Amino acid sequence: MTTSTSPGPAPGLGQGYADDRAATVGFLARSEEALRAAGPDRVAAAPLHSAARRARRRFMERHAAALYAELTDERREFLRLDDLAARADALVPGLVPTKSQAEEERRRPQRDKEGRETDHGIFFWGLLRDAVAGPHLLEAMRRPTPKALAALPGFRATGHADLGLVSVTRRGGTGEVTVHNTRFLNAEDDLLVAALEAAVDLVLLDDSIRVGVMRGAPMTHPRYAGRRVFSAGINLTRLYEGEISLIDFFLGRELGYINKIFRGLSVPDDGTGWLPESVEKPWIAAVDTFAIGGGAQILLVFDRVIAADDAYFTLPALREGIIPGAANLRLPRVAGNRLARQAIFADRRIDAASPEGRLLCDEAVPADRLDAAVEAAAAELANPAVVNNRRVLHAHEEPEDEFRHYMATYAVEQCRRLTSSDLVENLERTWISRNR
């Protein structure tokens, strides 16, 4: 007998998409009622959340393609992650958090979150692993952002765009993306990821630019005042405060600007070409001082990495309690399995000028020669044949399906880390305590 604190038996699936959807919606509604009855008691809520997530997973395993087709008008629409989630909430209530649930969760520090983003993780896991929905979703996330399209006319006219935390400047055939999150040593959060994606879009959309460059601005932080810094990784203060999201950061970052640097922009086929192709350009990373965490991760998709000879790289994600983006996929290929494990599992520091550092960067030069080295590399990579060669290289060194399956697994495993008790303990012990 069903009580006020039980949703009853899990739905039996296998009756077709429409019937299975109705059964799942009903079960999830009863689960939500049981969660409300449980109140703030996390012990009582845990099995209810678990049962509901099993139901979501089973539905997505069976019906990801049909659901995605309905959400996107038979794949005629190309929707980003947040728009897909919003439509899924309307179409299959309970499958993903409601807008109000997501907003309430967002206001909580990481320690106090209920873990609602796990349901987003299950949803995107199902879509990404599907052979029909997944490739279409990747393509949708490689379309230019509205923010970039709005800024494009002004950028083409002036050669400069101020995107707040990021600026883009055209110098000859080079598009320079400069990160200005100086308060946090260019650490990334949701806002910086959005600005970086718009900046990458502008470089790729401007026909007069042949090569993209990414570099950190001079810092105002007392310890590094006046020095450029490439990236301090994820903004751990924002993570501790609960302001780093699964959709806008952990998934949007990998499927957005990083994938665009690696695979280029996806643009609508105008019907004039005999072979659809992405808008791609070679990219250079100029690393001053250090590339920590996410900063080291993104170096793995650049065509040329030039570092100051006193710069270094680290991947402290395990110590922080999270998964380092797609580094687990790419670093073994770039640096070998042993060094990759040392970097990921043991936070090994890798100096740019060391033999191991040369696996992560192409050149390590004195800081006063970095500008000249970047300029020389840009001239070399402006060769028109580079784009065709990088397209062939990327297609075989990391097939898109391999990346897609990795991201499906990443979506749920990162959620597990974000809801783990040790994550907040790690943040308090290693980072937040320094600011108190």
Side-chain angles (χ1 to χ4, degrees):
M1 178 178 177
T2 302
T3 68
S4 60
T5 58
S6 171
L13 304 184
Q15 304 304 310
Y17 170 62
D19 288 345
D20 285 359
R21 184 180 71 185
T24 300
V25 168
F27 178 76
L28 293 176
R30 295 192 299 274
S31 296
E32 198 61 38
E33 291 175 3
L35 283 168
R36 283 194 290 270
D41 186 346
R42 291 196 175 191
V43 174
L48 298 172
H49 277 303
S50 183
R53 285 165 185 155
R54 282 196 298 271
R56 293 181 181 102
R57 176 181 61 81
R58 293 176 63 224
F59 178 79
M60 293 303 300
E61 280 178 329
R62 284 179 174 268
H63 299 299
L67 172 62
Y68 189 78
E70 191 168 9
L71 292 172
T72 59
D73 188 21
E74 300 296 332
R75 300 189 303 281
R76 283 186 281 267
E77 292 185 77
F78 290 82
L79 302 179
R80 291 181 63 84
L81 302 176
D82 52 351
D83 293 326
L84 276 171
R87 288 198 183 182
D89 173 40
L91 184 65
V92 189
L95 187 63
V96 296
T98 65
K99 182 179 180 181
S100 61
Q101 286 172 337
E103 289 176 347
E104 180 183 356
E105 191 87 331
R106 177 84 179 197
R107 289 192 292 267
R108 297 178 176 180
Q110 199 68 30
R111 174 183 291 280
D112 298 333
K113 289 185 184 294
E114 194 174 354
R116 293 282 184 176
E117 284 192 312
T118 300
D119 304 333
H120 278 142
I122 296 168
F123 173 65
F124 290 114
W125 164 82
L127 296 184
L128 286 165
R129 68 190 290 272
D130 184 80
V132 176
H136 191 274
L137 174 54
L138 291 186
E139 183 178 353
M141 287 299 293
R142 285 173 48 223
R143 293 288 177 97
T145 60
K147 184 175 183 177
L149 292 174
L152 183 59
F155 179 67
R156 282 176 170 159
T158 66
H160 183 77
D162 184 349
L163 302 170
L165 297 173
V166 179
S167 65
V168 191
T169 302
R170 183 178 61 238
R171 301 186 194 282
T174 301
E176 299 179 1
V177 175
T178 305
V179 185
H180 299 273
N181 194 15
T182 57
R183 179 185 173 193
F184 294 104
L185 297 176
N186 286 341
E188 291 184 67
D189 54 24
D190 291 20
L191 293 177
L192 181 53
V193 165
L196 278 168
E197 184 167 6
V200 168
D201 286 351
L202 289 177
V203 171
L204 292 171
L205 288 167
D206 190 322
D207 295 335
S208 62
I209 291 176
R210 304 292 291 274
V211 178
V213 174
M214 186 177 293
R215 192 174 187 182
M219 297 292 102
T220 57
H221 189 286
R223 187 174 177 184
Y224 298 96
R227 297 177 60 187
R228 291 179 181 267
V229 165
F230 187 73
S231 173
I234 187 173
N235 189 324
L236 292 167
T237 300
R238 297 282 184 251
L239 179 60
Y240 179 77
E241 293 169 347
E243 297 175 3
I244 301 287
S245 69
L246 180 72
I247 287 180
D248 294 326
F249 186 88
F250 289 106
L251 293 180
R253 178 176 180 270
E254 302 295 335
L255 302 180
Y257 88 85
I258 298 177
N259 202 31
K260 287 174 175 178
I261 289 173
F262 190 70
R263 291 186 170 85
L265 282 178
S266 171
V267 293
D269 183 2
D270 62 7
T272 61
W274 60 273
L275 179 66
E277 59 185 40
S278 57
V279 177
E280 295 189 43
K281 291 172 185 176
W283 283 85
I284 299 168
V287 181
D288 299 90
T289 312
F290 51 70
I292 294 174
Q297 296 165 27
I298 64 175
L299 299 182
L300 303 174
V301 301
F302 281 81
D303 300 285
R304 190 72 58 86
V305 178
I306 304 172
D309 58 8
D310 61 348
Y312 66 91
F313 320 110
T314 63
L315 280 172
L318 194 74
R319 175 159 52 86
E320 295 157 0
I322 57 177
I323 299 169
N328 293 10
L329 171 67
R330 294 170 175 146
L331 189 58
R333 182 179 72 236
V334 171
N337 285 328
R338 296 269 57 89
L339 184 58
R341 281 164 171 74
Q342 292 167 24
I344 294 169
F345 296 158
D347 189 17
R348 175 176 172 177
R349 169 174 165 151
I350 301 172
D351 293 306
S354 69
E356 295 81 5
R358 293 305 300 271
L359 297 173
L360 298 180
C361 69
D362 299 278
E363 297 179 65
V365 302
D368 60 0
R369 289 176 46 200
L370 193 56
D371 289 343
V374 169
E375 186 177 344
E380 186 176 284
L381 291 174
N383 185 323
V386 168
V387 170
N388 304 90
N389 277 276
R390 82 190 296 271
R391 189 174 287 140
V392 173
L393 275 170
H394 291 171
H396 293 277
E397 71 179 2
E398 186 185 295
E400 192 169 52
D401 278 350
E402 181 182 4
F403 172 66
R404 176 171 61 82
H405 283 291
Y406 176 90
M407 288 306 301
T409 304
Y410 173 79
V412 291
E413 294 298 336
Q414 192 69 284
C415 285
R416 288 177 173 177
R417 295 310 312 149
L418 293 173
T419 56
S420 63
S421 59
D422 63 291
L423 173 69
V424 174
E425 293 171 3
N426 289 340
L427 291 173
E428 291 178 337
R429 182 174 60 252
T430 62
W431 294 96
I432 303 304
S433 61
R434 298 181 184 179
N435 298 320
R436 289 179 173 172

